[in-house]
C-alpha cells in the first residue's frame, strides 16, 4: 500500500471511530439578568454555531452525544440549560415567571452574551416553542432549523393531551392530578420509552435521573407553572407556521415514531409550511438520541453539509 492510500485510510478510520478528531466538551456558566445559565460547549470557537435547545424534564445533558460526536470537529455546539432546569439557576416562581416567553427572552439574552449573531437551531420538545419564539423575534440570526419531536401544529398532539387541556381549562380542579402524573416514575419513564418495541436500548439512568430532578424541592411548582403556560404555545402555532411559510428556512425534521405525546402527523405537518423540509421518521421514541444516536448524528451532519454547499 502506497503512502497516499495509507494516509487516506487513516483519515477514514479517524472520522469513523468515536471520540477521534472531536473537540473537548466544556462546561460553563454565564450570568444573564442575575441568573446563572449553565451551558455545554464543544467545537471550534470560529465554527458555524448550532444552538441546542432541550426538552422536559431533561436539560442540556440530553445533547451530550451530539457534543461528543464528529459534529464538534467543524461546528461550535452550544447547549444551555433553561432557568429552572439542570445546572442553571432555579429561582422560585415568586421571583421568576415560568413562561415560554420568559424562557425565550433569557435564551435570546444568553445568545447575545455569547455574541452569537448567527446560528442553526436544534429544537427538541420545549426547545420548539423557545426556539421558534427566538426565530420570530430575530429571523436574521437563524441559518437553519433542525426539529426533533417538537410540535408546531395541532395535529401533532396525541390523545394524551385531552387531560392536559383539562388542566389548562380548570387548573384548580386538575392540578393535583397533573402533579401526581407528571412527577411519577411511571410518567418519567414513559417519556423515554413510549411505545418503543426496544426498551432494552434505552439507558434507565435517563429517566431515573430525571425523576430525581423533578422531585427536588421547588421543582414541582416550577414545572407545573411552566406546563400551565404551554397552552400559549398552541395559540402561537399560527404565528410560527406563518413565519415558516414566509421565511422558508433550510429545515431538517427528525421524528421518533414511538413518541407517546407527539404523533408522526406533527412531523409531516412541517412540510405544509416548508415543502423543501427534509423529513426522517426514526425507529425511536420522544428522545431519539436514546435509541438512534448514530442516525441522528449522521442525518444532522449530512443536512448541514448539504446546506453549506448551496
Amino acid at each position: 500500500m502506497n503512502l497516499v492510500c495509507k494516509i487516506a485510510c487513516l483519515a477514514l478510520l479517524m472520522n469513523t471511530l468515536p471520540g477521534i478528531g472531536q473537540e473537548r466538551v466544556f462546561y460553563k456558566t454565564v450570568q444573564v439578568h442575575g441568573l446563572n445559565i449553565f451551558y455545554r460547549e464543544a467545537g471550534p470557537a470560529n465554527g458555524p454555531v448550532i444552538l441546542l435547545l432541550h426538552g422536559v424534564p431533561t436539560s442540556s445533558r440530553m445533547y451530550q452525544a451530539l457534543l461528543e460526536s464528529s459534529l464538534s470537529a467543524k461546528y461550535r455546539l452550544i447547549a444551555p440549560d433553561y432557568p429552572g432546569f439542570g445546572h442553571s439557576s432555579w429561582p422560585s416562581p415568586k421571583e421568576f415567571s415560568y413562561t415560554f416567553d420568559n424562557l425565550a427572552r433569557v435564551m435570546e439574552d444568553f445568545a447575545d452574551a455569547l455574541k452569537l449573531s448567527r446560528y442553526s437551531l436544534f429544537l427538541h420538545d420545549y426547545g420548539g416553542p423557545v426556539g421558534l419564539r427566538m426565530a420570530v423575534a430575530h429571523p436574521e440570526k437563524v441559518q437553519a432549523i433542525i426539529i426533533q419531536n417538537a410540535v408546531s401544529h395541532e395535529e401533532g398532539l396525541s390523545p394524551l393531551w385531552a387531560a392536559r387541556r383539562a388542566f389548562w381549562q380548570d387548573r384548580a380542579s386538575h392540578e393535583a392530578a397533573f402533579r401526581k402524573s407528571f412527577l411519577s416514575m411511571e410518567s418519567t419513564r414513559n417519556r423515554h420509552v413510549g411505545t418503543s418495541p426496544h426498551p432494552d436500548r434505552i439507558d434507565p439512568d435517563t429517566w431515573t435521573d430525571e425523576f430525581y430532578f423533578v422531585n427536588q424541592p421547588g421543582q414541582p411548582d416550577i414545572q407545573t407553572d411552566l406546563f400551565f403556560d404551554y397552552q400559549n404555545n398552541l395559540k402561537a402555532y399560527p404565528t410560527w407556521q406563518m413565519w415558516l411559510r414566509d421565511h422558508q428556512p433550510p429545515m431538517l425534521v427528525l421524528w421518533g415514531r414511538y413518541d407517546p405525546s407527539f404523533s408522526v402527523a406533527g412531523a409531516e405537518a412541517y412540510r405544509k409550511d416548508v415543502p423543501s423540509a427534509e423529513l426522517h421518521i426514526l425507529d425511536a421514541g420522544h428522545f431519539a438520541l436514546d435509541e438512534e444516536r448514530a442516525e441522528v448524528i449522521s442525518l444532522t451532519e449530512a443536512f448541514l453539509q448539504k446546506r453549506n454547499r448551496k
Side-chain angles (χ1 to χ4, degrees):
M1 183 182 295
N2 62 39
L3 181 60
V4 173
C5 289
K6 287 181 179 179
I7 293 173
C9 290
L10 179 60
L12 178 61
L13 179 63
M14 292 186 69
N15 284 332
T16 55
L17 285 176
I20 301 296
Q22 295 150 27
E23 301 292 320
R24 182 186 299 274
V25 180
F26 294 93
Y27 306 90
K28 305 178 181 181
T29 300
V30 64
Q31 280 236 330
V32 179
H33 296 307
L35 299 173
N36 290 325
I37 300 300
F38 171 86
Y39 64 103
R40 301 163 196 256
E41 179 175 358
N46 61 349
V49 174
I50 305 175
L51 187 58
L52 306 147
L53 299 179
H54 67 79
V56 66
T58 186
S59 68
S60 59
R61 177 182 172 184
M62 68 165 285
Y63 288 122
Q64 192 71 19
L66 288 181
L67 293 160
E68 295 175 349
S69 76
S70 55
L71 283 165
S72 68
K74 179 177 180 181
Y75 300 96
R76 185 183 179 193
L77 304 167
I78 299 174
D81 290 347
Y82 310 136
F85 288 79
H87 298 289
S88 287
S89 295
W90 294 6
S92 77
K94 294 179 181 179
E95 301 168 325
F96 180 87
S97 180
Y98 284 92
T99 67
F100 285 89
D101 282 347
N102 275 345
L103 293 191
R105 277 193 284 268
V106 171
M107 290 297 101
E108 287 173 9
D109 292 340
F110 165 81
D112 288 344
L114 268 59
K115 296 181 170 54
L116 308 180
S117 59
R118 295 276 283 165
Y119 43 71
S120 295
L121 290 168
F122 194 116
L123 309 178
H124 175 261
D125 188 51
Y126 276 16
V130 172
L132 286 169
R133 280 175 169 83
M134 294 172 68
V136 170
H138 297 286
E140 74 283 358
K141 296 185 178 183
V142 179
Q143 295 176 297
I145 296 178
I146 301 166
I147 296 286
Q148 199 262 285
N149 289 68
V151 167
S152 299
H153 304 81
E154 286 268 1
E155 52 264 54
L157 302 176
S158 79
L160 289 179
W161 288 81
R164 299 165 187 178
R165 292 175 195 265
F167 168 58
W168 299 335
Q169 292 166 2
D170 186 353
R171 179 169 179 167
S173 299
H174 295 90
E175 182 165 337
F178 168 80
R179 288 185 180 230
K180 182 178 180 181
S181 173
F182 184 87
L183 301 173
S184 71
M185 175 64 84
E186 180 183 1
S187 292
T188 308
R189 179 183 183 275
N190 192 47
R191 278 188 281 270
H192 285 268
V193 176
T195 59
S196 174
H198 311 293
D200 54 325
R201 295 179 181 175
I202 306 171
D203 184 349
D205 286 351
T206 56
W207 64 80
T208 54
D209 287 356
E210 287 168 14
F211 174 74
Y212 174 80
F213 157 67
V214 296
N215 283 281
Q216 290 300 293
Q219 274 298 316
D221 292 340
I222 290 171
Q223 297 303 330
T224 301
D225 276 5
L226 189 55
F227 193 83
F228 185 72
D229 186 66
Y230 198 96
Q231 61 186 292
N232 290 314
N233 296 331
L234 276 65
K235 296 172 186 176
Y237 284 175
T239 299
W240 302 343
Q241 293 162 17
M242 182 178 297
W243 185 91
L244 291 170
R245 289 194 295 271
D246 289 346
H247 290 83
Q248 294 296 305
M251 175 173 277
L252 171 65
V253 181
L254 306 173
W255 209 269
R257 69 173 75 248
Y258 305 122
D259 190 330
S261 292
F262 296 154
S263 69
V264 170
E268 296 166 342
Y270 281 104
R271 278 189 166 162
K272 295 189 302 184
D273 304 318
V274 184
S276 63
E278 186 178 328
L279 172 62
H280 299 273
I281 307 302
L282 307 179
D283 191 29
H286 182 67
F287 293 91
L289 280 166
D290 285 352
E291 299 174 80
E292 294 293 347
R293 176 180 307 182
E295 188 170 7
V296 170
I297 292 168
S298 175
L299 290 170
T300 300
E301 199 160 29
F303 166 75
L304 292 171
Q305 287 176 349
K306 188 187 307 179
R307 188 190 69 80
N308 289 337
R309 285 198 297 266
K310 291 182 179 179

